């Protein structure tokens, strides 16, 4: 049986190899372990193996896990990576460290207003629908600059960069091309806004090498660390940050 710790090591080795191939320093790529649908004890195993950043898609599931693992809270970084509905922003603003899926000004405003003043600003990525895929989350690329400008002006969130979930591509070259468009858009926003925008949240279990080749700084990996997710429709999990989007 392969343990979480062994799988984590394998994913880290994949990241390092992809960085070598791309001529990048592995320290520039962070691993976000996507623990959605897995219990807190599995997160604990990953923490024991050295992992610190975890991604959750479903608000209630994430909040429950954060509460159960409260003894580890100061060591961990919790990232909301699911679509976020406006009636769910408050607990997310209060409990999470990052939100990757901001694609509307209203959500950004609420997160900023609801972020407790005693906490550091919520770290956020603007989600872009880079390929116009049927996944409706994410702004169109030509709307990204206007939204990014307004997000950057909000006091209690810090815009860190872009997040994308491209549609599956036929091969690695096509994957790199799509991820490359996200990187190019981030570069345009950086120039236009004069902000560092140091984060490109892209790449998952199946395509992290292509994402790293194109400049990803944070890969979001679930299956390759924790195994397959058995999830029927209509399970008891309430959408945390909204509904699942074709994952
Ligand atoms: C589930 C999910 C992932 C992880 O996907 P895997 O293919 O299991 O690695 C990454 N990003 C988002 C937004 C997800 O919902």
């Amino acid at each position: 049986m392969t343990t979480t710790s062994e799988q984590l090591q394998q994913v880290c080795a994949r990241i390092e190899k992809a960085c070598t191939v791309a001529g990048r320093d592995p320290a520039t790529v962070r691993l976000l372990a996507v623990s959605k649908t897995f219990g807190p004890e599995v997160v604990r195993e990953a923490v024991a193996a050295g992992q610190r950043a975890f991604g959750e898609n479903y608000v209630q599931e994430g909040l429950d896990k954060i509460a159960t693992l409260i003894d580890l809270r100061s060591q961990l970084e919790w990232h909301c990576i699911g679509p976020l509905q406006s009636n769910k922003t408050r607990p997310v603003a209060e409990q999470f460290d990052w939100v990757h899926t901001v694609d509307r000004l209203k959500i950004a405003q609420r997160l900023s207003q609801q972020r407790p003043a005693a906490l550091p600003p919520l770290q956020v990525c603007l989600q872009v629908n880079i390929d116009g895929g049927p996944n409706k989350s994410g702004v169109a690329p030509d709307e990204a600059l206007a939204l990014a400008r307004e997000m950057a002006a909000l006091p209690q969130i810090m815009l860190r960069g872009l997040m994308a979930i491209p549609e599956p591509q036929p091969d690695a070259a096509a994957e790199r091309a799509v991820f490359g468009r996200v990187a190019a858009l981030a570069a345009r926003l950086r120039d236009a806004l004069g902000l560092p925008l140091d984060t490109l949240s892209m790449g998952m279990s199946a395509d992290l090498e292509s994402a790293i080749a194109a400049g990803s700084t944070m890969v979001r990996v679930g299956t390759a660390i924790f195994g397959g997710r058995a999830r029927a429709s209509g399970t008891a999990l309430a959408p945390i940050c909204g509904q699942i989007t074709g994952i």
Side-chain angles (χ1 to χ4, degrees):
M1 204 190 87
T2 316
T3 65
T4 301
S5 147
E6 285 165 347
Q7 306 256 60
L8 257 174
Q9 279 175 26
Q10 282 168 18
V11 170
C12 290
R14 279 176 66 188
I15 292 171
E16 278 172 28
K17 185 165 175 226
C19 285
T20 304
V21 170
R24 298 183 55 193
D25 176 356
T28 63
V29 180
R30 296 189 67 202
L31 172 60
L32 181 62
V34 178
S35 45
K36 65 182 177 198
T37 80
F38 291 93
E41 67 289 350
V42 181
V43 173
R44 246 181 231 288
E45 283 176 35
V47 174
Q51 179 64 25
R52 292 292 177 267
F54 294 88
E56 291 286 335
N57 282 58
Y58 313 100
V59 172
Q60 195 54 53
E61 182 192 350
L63 295 172
D64 289 349
K65 240 173 266 183
I66 292 170
T68 306
L69 298 170
I70 200 70
D71 57 308
L72 298 173
R73 185 67 187 90
S74 63
Q75 301 176 47
L76 301 189
E77 224 176 59
W78 288 99
H79 295 235
C80 173
I81 61 169
L84 185 51
Q85 290 157 356
S86 56
N87 62 352
K88 293 282 176 59
T89 52
R90 183 176 293 281
V92 170
E94 291 175 349
Q95 302 286 339
F96 281 78
D97 302 295
W98 282 70
V99 177
H100 290 227
T101 43
V102 178
D103 62 0
R104 282 184 288 152
L105 182 59
K106 183 183 174 193
I107 298 285
Q109 286 169 332
R110 289 176 67 92
L111 289 172
S112 180
Q113 276 160 14
Q114 293 167 345
R115 180 69 169 173
L119 294 179
L122 189 66
Q123 308 296 298
V124 302
C125 292
L126 190 166
Q127 185 178 357
V128 60
N129 185 351
I130 196 67
D131 49 14
N135 163 8
K136 283 205 265 56
S137 296
V139 291
D142 62 2
E143 292 165 11
L145 176 59
L147 177 57
R149 182 172 276 130
E150 297 192 275
M151 285 167 68
L154 295 170
Q156 276 294 94
I157 63 173
M158 181 179 292
L159 179 61
R160 294 293 297 271
L162 299 181
M163 180 271 209
I165 314 172
E167 292 298 299
Q169 300 295 315
D171 54 42
E175 288 171 2
R176 287 194 298 270
V178 179
F179 286 130
R181 276 154 51 200
V182 182
L185 178 59
R188 284 209 297 282
L189 301 191
R190 219 174 270 133
D191 288 349
L193 299 172
L195 294 173
L197 301 183
D198 59 5
T199 302
L200 279 178
S201 166
M202 56 190 198
M204 312 197 300
S205 293
D207 57 10
L208 68 88
E209 284 85 1
S210 299
I212 288 170
S216 173
T217 68
M218 204 183 296
V219 291
R220 308 177 310 266
V221 179
T223 312
I225 299 171
F226 299 115
R229 292 178 291 271
R231 113 177 301 279
S233 58
T235 52
L237 294 173
I240 160 172
C241 302
Q243 68 280 15
I244 311 192
T245 54
I247 308 293

